[in-house]
Each structure stands twice: as C-alpha cells, then as structure tokens.
Amino acid sequence: MCGIIGFTGNIDAKEVLLQGLKALEYRGYDSAGISFFTDDKITTVKAVGKVSDLEGKAALFSNTSTKCGIGHTRWATHGGVTETNCHPHKSGRVTLIHNGIIENYKELAEELAEKGKQPISQTDTEIAAMVIDDCYKSNPLKAIRKAVKKLQGAYAFLIMFEDHPGSIYAIRNGSPLVATATKEGSVIASDMVALIKYSKDYFVLPEHHIAQLTSKSIKITDLDQNEVEPDMLHVNWDMAAARKGGYDYFMLKEIHEQPEALRNTISPRIKNNMPDFAADAIPDSLFSDLNRIIITACGTAMHAGLIGKNMIETLTRVPVSVDIASEFRYQNPILDKRTLVITISQSGETADTLAALRLARENGARTLSIVNVKGSSIARESEYVLYTHAGPEIAVASTKAYTVQLAVMYLIAFRFAFVKGTISNNEIVKLTKELEKIPGFVNEILSCDTSIEPISKKLLKTESLFFIGRGLDYALSCEGSIKLKEVSYIHSEAYAAGELKHGTISLITDNVPVIALATQENVFAKMISNIREVRSRGAMVIMIAGADAQVDASLCDHLITLPPIDDAFAPFGAAIILQYIAYYTAIARGLNVDQPRNLAKSVTVE
Ligand code: M6R
C-alpha cells in the first residue's frame, strides 16, 4: 500500500525521494507527492497518476537545492484520488506523510472543528497532521508523544516541522518503517526496496518509538523518552534483485527466479536427507505437543496453506484447517496451547494476517509464521519463524513467494511426520530427496512458456472462465484463478471439479474456457468425467495433466503435460504453468502486469 521515503543528508534530497518513490511503485498507488526544505521553508509538489508525473512537476525545482525531504505514494482509502487528498499534508508548521488508517479521525475532526480548525482534504491523514500541529509548541518530540495518545488505528508517519529544518521525525504503530544511517545521510522508508541503494544493513523502527533523523545520525526514543539502540538486520540481496534485469516485467523475472528461490529455501533445511529446522531454532517439541493446526493467511499465501493442509494431513493424520485471515477473528476460533497457528505471508505485514496471529497468541495457541521479509511484523510477533528465501518480490502478483511457501509447508509436513512417527524414516528420506529435486524440475518446466503463450492468446477476448480440479489440483485452481484475475482482469472462478454440476455448470456454454487440472492419478478418472461434462456443453478446455496421462484427443482443445514427477510434487510444476497463463494473457491484453489496477502489494489495512 502507501509507499514512504524520507531522507536528510548531504546529497540532493529530491533525487533520493523520487528514486525511492520509483522503487516503491510496486506497492500500488494512485498519486504521489514530495515535500522538501528549501532554506527555512517547506515546498510541496503533488501529482495524481504516476511518479513520472510527479517527476515532471518537480522538474520546476531542479535548480532548488534541498538536502531534506519526505515522499509518498498514496493508495486511496479515505477520500478520492485527487491532488488535495494526496500526501504530504500540511497543517500549520507540520508537514506529514502517512501509511495506515486513523480510525477515530471523525471524532478528532469534530474536536478540531470546535477550535475552529477545518481540514481541506477528505483524508484521515490531514486530521493526524492537524492533531500534531495542535499539540505543537516548539518541541517536536513532545508534540508527537502527546498527539499519538489521541490517535487510534494503524500508522507510520514521517513528519517535518517547518522550524526544524534538516530533521525528520518518524513514529509507527502497525505499519512498517525501516531505516538506516549512511555516509550520504539518514534514510527511512516503508520497505527495504527503497533503502537497498544505500545499505544492506538496516533496522526496523520499533513500534511506538520515535526516530529523529538528521544528516549525521538517527536517534530513537521510546514514549518515556528513553534512548533505545535498534536491532540491526542485514539483507543478503542487492540492487540487482530489485531491478528488472532485462525482463519486460518483474512478474516474468520472478517466475524465472523460482529455481533459485526454491534452492535457497529448501537446501539449508535438509541435513542427512532429512528435513531439519535446527538452524531456524524450531524444536521438535513444537510438533510433538500439538493435536491440531490452523493455517491462516490471505490471497495467494492462503492458497499455499490449502496445499500445506493436504500434505500435513496426509502424512501426519493431524487435523488442519485453513482460514482466510480476514475472517479468522470473526469466527470465534477455538484456540488452545495444543493448537499450532501457522500464518503465511510474503510481506509479513498483511494487516489481517497480523491480527489473526495476535488473536492466536492472546488465546494461548502456539504460533509459527512462514514469512519472506526479514524483521517484518508477523515475523517479529510469531513465536517461531521459517523464512522463505525468495528475495524481494516486486510484482503485485505473487509467484516465487508462493512456490517457496509450498516448499516450506512440505518441509513442515515431513518434519512433523518424522516427529509423530506416522510414516517411516525411509519414506521421509524419499520425500525429502524428491523435494530437493524440485528446483531442477521447476527449471525444466520454465521452458514451456513457448507453448503457453499461444494458448493464452486464445483467452484474449474471454470475459469469464473457470478453473477446475480435485484435491491438490483444486487448491491449485484457486491460485490459478486469483493470478489470472489480478493481472488480466478476466473474471474467473475456481471450482472443485465435482461441485460444478451443483449449480455453476449452468454457466458453461459454447466456448467458455475451462482450465482443467488433472495431475493427480487418484482422481484422474473422476476428473476425466468432469471434463467430459463441461466439454459436452461446449467448453473450450485447456487441460494440465501429469506426464503419463492417457488423454483422448477429443477431450480437450489444448493439453499441457508436466515433466515426470511424483503426484505429491506436481503442484510445483502446475503452479508455473498457471503463472505463465496469467502472465501471457495479461500481456496479450496489453496490461501493466506488475501494477494491476486497484491492487497493492502489501495490504496493510484491514
Ligand atoms: O504479503 P502477503 O503474502 O501476506 O500477501 C497476501 C496477499 O495479499 C497476496 O498473496 C495477494 O493475494 C497476491 N497479490 C496474489 O498474487
């Protein structure tokens, strides 16, 4: 969602801000703005549209020297997409940018109105700026401390005070902020992608702590004014990982990065052909003590959970349920100390997943998170963490983060089965060896793009289509459907193949595309019957099947087969095919694959 960058130092701040906002474009936004100090005054430039539009407007100030400023990409929540609603917002001597939602902004606005103060925008953020300004006499730290007592909701703020040139103040509750002090100056942002240009070492601003950035240093104090030393973190990727590197889109680059991401995620966790979480500090007692698992996540991460459920239940016979994180809290979930709640999140910042995790902890459940972003909120708040090592995922559509989440789910299932003794060690060794082969298998499958691209072109004019599958293939259908929808804007639905005839088959008429996944031998015959049902009603069938599948030529219009692989691991191959279908369909429709409309990479509001 909203992207944040702040810089104060000895190089041109405008340039740092604009470059930072470009790096943050992937988060999804509809307008952008920057504010910077020129002598003792703050200048603000805003634009609806892209950062390039903002850049055009900022060019008017190309001869203006500035060493300190803040920048923002806005994903509208309160108030339409207008320049007035665009950040930064100014009230009196306060100029501020914000990621999050101030829930009590209406009451605060009423209090301010009683004092004769009226906002000019429709945003909750301007109200926050007004509250801080209202608390401000001459000491920024005092004003922030006083103001945040009044604010309810999630926020990450960067604030400049007109009478404190060269300083940026930051505070956060929920929404992330990372920062680093370098020889060029101090820089702070909503995520590492904007910081990596300056340093691989950084810290996450602790919640409810204030950072004061000057050109020389960053000082952190808690709300009781105690100075705090931050915990430094290090990322092992670099600028190149955050660039397209010759690919047209990040999505395609990230699809191609899957073999490496999988290798980095799987290899360090295999010792003597067995899954091993010792380096992740996860004790076997976590698994031996529990009698049920709940997996909770959103979107694609939740779909990885569906595959994980299947693997864990098959191998351990321990019941697993998968809950959409945004629903979890409202279902009055049954939680106790023998329940393990697994949260899955690429960003580690998804507000609903974080809230579900907090509820699980409050109710005494054990918690384990599968997260890609180091030091993110979900990682920090979980009892145990298994990091996926996918590197930065920039495209809004999740690809490599999904397959590495699957890999971690498989490792959990194997280790859990070992601890429970539900399958023999020989079987675990066999499964583990198969998993180790997955990066190579995925590498092999990547070359199928040449056959997928022409098939995707056939979907160009489609208005609506269906994905069908059974068992693991049904879980994959859900993922195939969300991927296609988000990047191609074609309506699609995922259906359990056997369920279609209970209502939805009425929508299957001549040439309605049906993407049928039939990679699982145990349900293959039943899938064939289901495919015949849609075929006989005129569907255009694209079938994805295992290497040995005997498929009658009349059954489908297009057949895509996987290279030979044990059925249990077929999802890794089918996922790549589904990602390609989504990607090439969106390309055929001339869309910006990396930044689909209305979507944000990391959904930090509930
Ligand atoms: O960062 P998270 O994994 O928690 O994000 C969850 C979903 O928002 C995310 O997977 C979303 O569904 C993707 N854009 C789908 O490609």
Side-chain angles (χ1 to χ4, degrees):
M1 299 201 127
C2 302
I4 282 184
I5 174 98
F7 174 80
T8 176
N10 50 36
I11 55 174
D12 181 25
K14 281 194 304 314
E15 205 38 42
V16 175
L17 301 180
L18 290 168
Q19 291 310 317
L21 291 183
K22 278 190 191 157
L24 294 169
E25 280 191 297
Y26 80 98
R27 293 171 69 96
Y29 71 106
D30 35 52
S31 56
I34 54 173
S35 289
F36 45 89
F37 276 101
T38 46
D39 300 323
D40 56 351
K41 135 170 168 314
I42 293 176
T43 301
T44 296
V45 188
K46 302 181 183 190
V48 167
K50 292 284 168 196
V51 174
S52 53
D53 299 308
L54 176 69
E55 206 169 20
K57 287 181 144 189
L60 288 176
F61 299 89
S62 53
N63 293 328
T64 311
S65 157
T66 178
K67 299 282 185 275
C68 175
I70 55 180
H72 189 265
T73 48
R74 173 176 187 248
W75 189 85
T77 56
H78 293 60
V81 181
T82 63
E83 252 182 48
T84 314
N85 288 336
C86 177
H87 303 207
H89 286 281
K90 179 171 162 54
S91 175
R93 287 171 290 171
V94 168
T95 299
L96 158 157
I97 55 179
H98 169 217
N99 177 17
I101 288 182
I102 303 301
E103 285 161 2
N104 60 336
Y105 79 103
K106 278 202 173 127
E107 298 94 271
L108 294 169
E110 279 161 22
E111 275 175 35
L112 290 160
E114 280 165 24
K115 296 181 181 177
K117 299 182 179 186
Q118 295 291 347
I120 54 167
S121 74
Q122 300 155 309
T123 64
D124 53 333
T125 302
E126 189 187 358
I127 302 297
M130 291 168 76
V131 170
I132 296 173
D133 183 57
D134 194 52
C135 296
Y136 185 49
K137 302 282 179 285
S138 60
N139 183 332
L141 293 169
K142 244 186 188 171
I144 296 169
R145 284 197 297 268
K146 194 168 167 196
V148 293
K149 283 194 187 136
K150 298 180 180 223
L151 303 175
Q152 288 165 15
Y155 50 79
F157 291 127
L158 296 193
I159 314 160
M160 297 195 302
F161 293 82
E162 199 146 51
D163 44 354
H164 286 79
S167 288
I168 298 170
Y169 296 82
I171 184 161
R172 73 178 199 99
N173 173 36
S175 310
L177 279 176
V178 290
T180 189
T182 70
K183 62 181 184 346
E184 287 93 5
S186 302
V187 52
I188 185 161
S190 40
D191 70 66
M192 248 338 255
V193 169
L195 244 59
I196 191 75
K197 190 169 175 196
Y198 306 96
S199 175
K200 286 183 166 190
D201 298 305
Y202 69 105
F203 64 87
V204 178
L205 178 64
E207 285 192 289
H208 314 123
H209 284 61
I210 303 175
Q212 181 184 358
L213 285 83
T214 61
S215 60
K216 301 258 172 325
S217 64
I218 305 178
K219 183 175 164 189
I220 303 171
T221 47
D222 65 17
L223 293 177
D224 297 320
Q225 303 177 51
N226 302 305
E227 201 167 330
V228 171
E229 273 306 310
D231 292 335
M232 293 307 291
L233 296 168
H234 181 81
V235 285
N236 52 9
W237 47 271
D238 55 18
M239 275 291 282
R243 287 198 180 124
K244 281 192 216 149
Y247 287 90
D248 290 341
Y249 285 98
F250 278 110
M251 183 176 172
L252 189 61
K253 176 178 178 245
E254 288 159 6
I255 290 174
H256 281 261
E257 284 172 345
Q258 288 176 101
E260 195 194 341
L262 283 160
R263 204 168 292 115
N264 292 343
T265 301
I266 297 168
S267 301
R269 295 183 171 117
I270 296 184
K271 300 268 155 13
N272 303 322
N273 297 320
M274 289 293 269
D276 188 306
F277 295 138
D280 300 288
I282 296 181
D284 282 342
S285 59
L286 179 68
F287 299 117
S288 55
D289 291 350
L290 60 93
N291 58 15
R292 120 178 222 267
I293 293 183
I294 299 174
I295 300 174
T296 184
C298 297
T300 287
M302 193 271 289
H303 298 154
L306 293 173
I307 304 262
K309 168 187 160 75
N310 189 307
M311 287 310 297
I312 296 172
E313 286 188 336
T314 303
L315 299 183
T316 69
R317 310 312 299 150
V318 169
V320 181
S321 57
V322 182
D323 280 323
I324 297 169
S326 56
E327 288 294 308
F328 185 64
R329 276 173 303 159
Y330 312 111
Q331 289 165 350
N332 203 2
I334 302 161
L335 297 161
D336 60 29
K337 62 179 186 337
R338 299 200 63 195
T339 305
L340 174 66
V341 173
I342 302 181
T343 46
I344 311 177
S345 176
Q346 185 285 130
S347 62
E349 299 294 348
T350 299
D352 285 313
T353 311
L354 181 59
L357 166 67
R358 286 177 177 161
L359 182 81
R361 291 206 76 167
E362 275 159 32
N363 285 276
R366 312 300 303 272
T367 56
L368 166 66
S369 65
I370 301 173
V371 175
N372 195 42
V373 177
K374 241 185 184 177
S376 55
S377 304
I378 292 174
R380 279 180 293 109
E381 294 196 27
S382 287
E383 205 181 342
Y384 297 103
V385 189
L386 282 167
Y387 281 111
T388 51
H389 299 299
E393 192 180 63
I394 309 286
V396 164
S398 194
T399 54
K400 59 177 178 172
Y402 172 70
T403 45
V404 293
Q405 285 161 355
L406 293 189
V408 172
M409 291 297 339
Y410 279 55
L411 286 165
I412 291 174
F414 301 168
R415 187 75 201 178
F416 191 10
F418 165 73
V419 173
K420 283 255 165 202
T422 41
I423 58 173
S424 71
N425 285 5
N426 281 347
E427 282 172 285
I428 297 173
V429 167
K430 198 168 153 246
L431 287 166
T432 308
K433 283 184 172 169
E434 281 301 307
L435 187 65
E436 257 187 315
K437 289 186 206 150
I438 289 302
F441 170 69
V442 166
N443 200 30
E444 194 181 334
I445 227 171
L446 283 173
S447 58
C448 74
D449 55 344
T450 45
S451 60
I452 308 268
E453 194 174 357
I455 299 175
S456 295
K457 282 193 177 140
K458 301 249 162 77
L459 302 176
L460 184 64
K461 298 251 157 53
T462 298
E463 280 175 14
S464 185
L465 63 77
F466 294 86
F467 286 83
I468 58 170
R470 285 173 177 258
L472 286 174
D473 282 336
Y474 170 57
L476 271 159
S477 298
C478 297
E479 177 53 16
S481 177
I482 192 176
K483 210 90 310 168
L484 185 82
K485 271 185 280 210
E486 69 181 328
V487 298
S488 77
Y489 311 155
I490 295 174
H491 169 258
S492 84
E493 271 188 70
Y495 251 82
E499 182 67 12
L500 205 64
K501 55 184 155 304
H502 296 284
T504 309
I505 203 161
S506 63
L507 298 174
I508 307 290
T509 52
D510 272 353
N511 292 322
V512 170
V514 173
I515 300 179
L517 287 116
T519 70
Q520 302 295 305
E521 223 230 301
N522 63 334
V523 287
F524 188 73
K526 290 203 164 40
M527 267 310 292
I528 296 293
S529 304
N530 297 139
I531 295 173
R532 285 198 199 290
E533 287 159 9
V534 294
R535 189 84 176 136
S536 57
R537 284 158 182 88
M540 191 268 268
V541 175
I542 299 168
M543 185 172 169
I544 302 170
D548 303 330
Q550 300 296 314
V551 181
D552 184 319
S554 67
L555 193 66
C556 59
D557 296 85
H558 304 281
L559 175 66
I560 304 163
T561 46
L562 298 176
I565 185 90
D566 184 302
D567 281 6
F569 297 89
F572 289 97
I576 310 295
I577 292 168
L578 296 172
Q579 292 166 1
Y580 272 148
I581 291 178
Y583 175 79
Y584 284 112
T585 307
I587 291 291
R589 288 164 71 95
L591 298 169
N592 179 344
V593 183
D594 285 341
Q595 289 168 33
R597 70 182 174 216
N598 302 339
L599 288 174
K601 179 65 183 163
S602 158
V603 181
T604 49
V605 296
E606 288 174 31

